[in-house]
Amino acid sequence: MMKKEKSKFLTFIFSLMPGAGHMYMGFMKMGISLMAVFFFIIFLSSFFSIGPLLFVLPLVWFYSFFDCMNKRYSTDDEFLTLEDKYLFSLDELVKIDKDVLKKHRLASGILLIIIGGYLIWNNILNTLSAYISSELFSLINDVTRVAPQIIIGIVIILAGLKLIKGKKKECDMND
């Protein structure tokens, strides 16, 4: 059982880092989840050179900060009823559709092959730089650098189209 008797000042200071305030308050699962989401977004943005993805960070930060502050200033009875849960869990994702990998096996396989190929290609490209002209290397490097952004953009568009198509089918069934 967690105790609410934590320093208001330290709770505030720790809550400035997503997840740290939750961990200070004793909500380790929630804290780790928020911290993981925050730093995973930074990693993805940096690794794939997708700067606009960083616009999601303030949402994570504000949610983490205000959730921690709300927990700190909840009544003793409310605080005792709070559960320490992960923000997301694989168990809950699997419950949504147990056959999700079977249904999307081809797409998942292609995605894994593309990511693996991209990582291998980046390493090979550095070796090739000594054997090809600087203009050709620069062109190949520029294309390779933007390829993940293009692929992720296509995936986002396809996901959006699928959502729209699903909503249209739902609306047609209701009419």
Side-chain angles (χ1 to χ4, degrees):
M1 183 162 77
M2 291 177 282
K3 295 194 177 204
K4 183 179 168 187
E5 299 161 8
K6 299 285 184 181
S7 163
K8 291 178 182 179
F9 176 73
L10 287 178
T11 301
F12 173 78
I13 294 300
F14 282 122
S15 68
L16 295 175
M17 168 57 75
H22 288 83
M23 293 166 75
Y24 175 72
M25 297 283 294
F27 298 98
M28 293 301 198
K29 293 177 182 177
M30 177 63 80
I32 288 171
S33 296
L34 288 165
M35 205 173 272
V37 166
F38 189 79
F39 287 109
F40 186 67
I41 291 170
I42 293 172
F43 165 77
L44 281 179
S45 175
S46 170
F47 186 77
F48 291 117
S49 299
I50 307 172
L53 188 58
L54 293 174
F55 286 107
V56 176
L57 287 181
L59 298 174
V60 175
W61 187 89
F62 279 108
Y63 175 82
S64 178
F65 179 81
F66 287 109
D67 187 59
C68 184
M69 289 289 103
N70 285 332
K71 284 180 172 140
R72 172 61 186 93
Y73 289 101
S74 62
T75 65
D76 289 338
D77 292 335
E78 288 173 338
F79 190 83
L80 293 175
T81 62
L82 296 175
E83 263 186 83
D84 183 20
K85 297 186 297 188
Y86 289 108
L87 193 57
F88 51 87
S89 76
L90 292 178
D91 293 343
E92 290 178 15
L93 293 176
V94 172
K95 285 179 190 174
I96 293 172
D97 188 356
K98 292 180 181 178
D99 297 325
V100 71
L101 288 178
K102 288 181 183 176
K103 289 180 180 177
H104 303 287
R105 183 176 286 162
L106 178 62
S108 301
I110 290 170
L111 181 64
L112 290 173
I113 289 170
I114 289 171
I115 291 172
Y118 177 76
L119 294 173
I120 292 169
W121 175 251
N122 273 339
N123 287 310
I124 291 173
L125 185 61
N126 290 331
T127 306
L128 288 177
S129 67
Y131 303 104
I132 60 176
S133 71
S134 61
E135 293 84 17
L136 181 59
F137 175 77
S138 179
L139 175 68
I140 294 170
N141 193 36
D142 288 346
V143 170
T144 301
R145 189 174 36 82
V146 297
Q149 296 172 351
I150 293 168
I151 292 169
I152 291 172
I154 290 169
V155 168
I156 290 171
I157 289 169
L158 291 174
L161 290 172
K162 187 170 183 166
L163 288 172
I164 290 170
K165 184 178 175 184
K167 185 66 176 173
K168 186 172 189 251
K169 281 183 182 179
E170 183 181 307
C171 289
D172 290 345
M173 290 173 60
N174 289 336
D175 288 340

